[in-house]
Amino acid sequence: MDSNPSSTSTSDPSSLKLAIAIALLRYKNLHCSSSSHPDAQRWRRKVLPQIVACRCHFFDVCGKPSPSSEQLGREGLWIDEVLRRRFLRLLRWKERRKNLDGSLRKRNSIEFNSEDEIDRINISIDFLVELSHSKIVENDSSFRTLSHQAVDFILASLRNLLSSEKGSELIEEMINGLILNLTQRMCTTENEGSLSSDSDADFCIQHLIRKLGDEPFIGQRVILTVSQRICIQVESLLLLDPFDDAYLGMHDNMFMMIQLIEFLISDHLHIWKTIEDFDWRLLEEWVRSVLQARNSLVLLESRNGLYVLYIERVIGEISKQLGPLQQGKLNLDILSNLHC
């Protein structure tokens, strides 16, 4: 008989079972610890990209044609009540701060009232103008969110006022002031160097105007104002030395303005003309102004023929959307000039 204790312990069935159990337990623990980390990583890769991608899409087509403008309607505007109240509180805070600073501009003796839509749109316009003159930084989530809320707030208040036919002259004055401020801001370079060339401040302001133009009360007046500004700028360019430092900036502004008109027409005109109370007389006024802008740009053809090609493309889009079916709503001379 073998009396070696080591062989005895090895052959003991209970010891062997215990050793196997310990080995299995260690293997199981080791396997779980090594696989838990990849599982966590897979979970993070699955969840975190969705969180990061959750952002404001207000500027997604900034400086680009709308990919599905034919499918967009005016009824898509919706303001979350929580965001509306939060934005209103921000406006109130800024208004109180202006009062404390003594810099509040009085307009026709209007006193702030949270229930008055005229006061709301008045302060919202001031807020958006002030925001547009601030330093706009690329991918600034604060600017994107606040400008988005301001635009939606202005459009909602404006539509409420237009439906109630309240203070029409004052509303038109405020909207014209907003358009003038934003178009002037679009054609300046206050934030030069703060943004990349693909997403600069000018395109951001252009996009704000484009979004506001969803409402024809604003959009039609924007086209009228910008087309008139084009005629004025043509006169300035004719008198300016092409080698002057300001020439390049004015050249860029010209394309920016023509592009804005094109965006407003392609994005919204097909919807505007279906509105029951659409202002066709105002449409005739800005169509004449756009045609006059084309005649003015012809004078610059020897310097830059692209101006005329670009404005002709815009007029072609107007002509396509205001075809023979609009004969009963538009003067024949306008239709003939569009199709000549």
Side-chain angles (χ1 to χ4, degrees):
M1 177 180 294
D2 188 1
S3 60
N4 190 340
S6 61
S7 64
T8 303
S9 61
T10 305
S11 61
D12 187 359
S14 60
S15 299
L16 182 60
K17 291 180 180 180
L18 180 60
I20 293 174
I22 293 174
L24 289 174
L25 183 61
R26 288 178 177 176
Y27 176 79
K28 183 178 180 181
N29 290 337
L30 180 63
H31 178 72
C32 290
S33 62
S34 62
S35 62
S36 61
H37 183 68
D39 288 343
Q41 291 297 325
R42 284 195 296 271
W43 183 86
R44 288 174 63 85
R45 285 195 298 267
K46 182 178 180 181
V47 175
L48 289 182
Q50 298 177 2
I51 298 174
V52 174
C54 183
R55 62 183 182 87
C56 177
H57 297 276
F58 187 70
F59 286 93
D60 279 2
V61 292
C62 181
K64 303 175 184 177
S66 296
S68 57
S69 59
E70 295 292 334
Q71 301 174 0
L72 298 177
R74 298 175 69 248
E75 302 301 327
L77 179 66
W78 178 78
I79 299 178
D80 182 84
E81 189 62 25
V82 175
L83 291 178
R84 181 184 176 92
R85 290 176 181 175
R86 187 182 70 176
F87 183 64
L88 185 57
R89 285 197 298 270
L90 178 61
L91 294 181
R92 289 171 179 167
W93 176 79
K94 293 183 72 67
E95 193 71 8
R96 284 196 296 268
R97 190 178 67 175
K98 284 185 178 181
N99 278 319
L100 292 175
D101 294 339
S103 59
L104 177 64
R105 293 174 296 166
K106 300 295 183 181
R107 290 189 179 181
N108 298 330
S109 301
I110 295 180
E111 296 180 359
F112 181 74
N113 184 341
S114 61
E115 300 300 322
D116 193 336
E117 288 286 0
I118 293 182
D119 293 326
R120 291 180 178 181
I121 193 172
N122 181 31
I123 298 172
S124 300
I125 287 173
D126 285 344
F127 178 84
L128 185 60
V129 170
E130 181 181 341
L131 187 65
S132 68
H133 284 273
S134 63
K135 184 177 181 180
I136 304 173
V137 181
E138 187 178 13
N139 297 323
D140 184 351
S141 59
S142 176
F143 172 80
R144 291 172 180 269
T145 302
L146 290 176
S147 58
H148 186 180
Q149 291 180 12
V151 168
D152 282 356
F153 201 93
I154 290 171
L155 291 178
S157 296
L158 176 61
R159 285 164 183 163
N160 289 337
L161 289 169
L162 292 176
S163 63
S164 65
E165 300 181 354
K166 180 181 179 181
S168 57
E169 293 183 1
L170 180 57
I171 295 170
E172 185 172 358
E173 178 186 343
M174 290 189 293
I175 294 301
N176 286 336
L178 172 63
I179 294 170
L180 182 61
N181 269 289
L182 292 181
T183 51
Q184 287 178 342
R185 175 63 186 88
M186 181 184 70
C187 295
T188 58
T189 55
E190 293 182 8
N191 293 336
E192 186 176 359
S194 63
L195 293 177
S196 66
S197 58
D198 293 332
S199 179
D200 59 15
D202 296 342
F203 279 109
C204 288
I205 303 303
Q206 183 201 63
H207 195 70
L208 291 180
I209 303 173
R210 181 180 175 183
K211 289 294 187 179
L212 287 166
D214 179 67
E215 171 55 50
F217 189 89
I218 299 178
Q220 292 208 99
R221 286 168 172 80
V222 169
I223 298 176
L224 178 61
T225 300
V226 173
S227 58
Q228 291 172 346
R229 189 181 179 96
I230 289 174
C231 295
I232 296 173
Q233 187 138 317
V234 167
E235 296 178 2
S236 300
L237 285 171
L238 287 172
L239 300 175
L240 189 66
D241 185 349
F243 297 99
D244 192 291
D245 293 339
Y247 187 87
L248 182 59
M250 296 179 68
H251 166 81
D252 292 339
N253 292 339
M254 186 69 77
F255 281 108
M256 185 76 66
M257 290 189 289
I258 300 174
Q259 185 184 53
L260 175 58
I261 295 176
E262 182 181 36
F263 283 156
L264 289 171
I265 291 170
S266 60
D267 288 352
H268 307 304
L269 182 55
H270 65 284
I271 300 173
W272 291 348
K273 64 185 183 181
T274 63
I275 301 173
E276 184 177 356
D277 57 348
F278 180 64
D279 191 347
W280 288 96
R281 301 284 76 80
L282 182 56
L283 181 141
E284 289 183 353
E285 187 176 356
W286 66 253
V287 169
R288 287 194 179 96
S289 183
V290 171
L291 292 172
Q292 180 60 42
R294 177 186 60 182
N295 296 336
S296 298
L297 288 170
V298 170
L299 301 176
L300 292 174
E301 192 168 11
S302 60
R303 293 192 178 187
N304 194 329
L306 292 178
Y307 294 146
V308 177
L309 292 177
Y310 202 171
I311 197 67
E312 286 289 358
R313 188 173 75 178
V314 173
I315 293 175
E317 181 65 23
I318 299 174
S319 175
K320 183 175 68 174
Q321 297 203 35
L322 300 178
L325 296 178
Q326 312 298 334
Q327 285 186 1
K329 300 177 181 178
L330 294 175
N331 289 336
L332 292 178
D333 62 326
I334 293 180
L335 291 174
S336 61
N337 288 330
L338 282 174
H339 294 86
C340 66

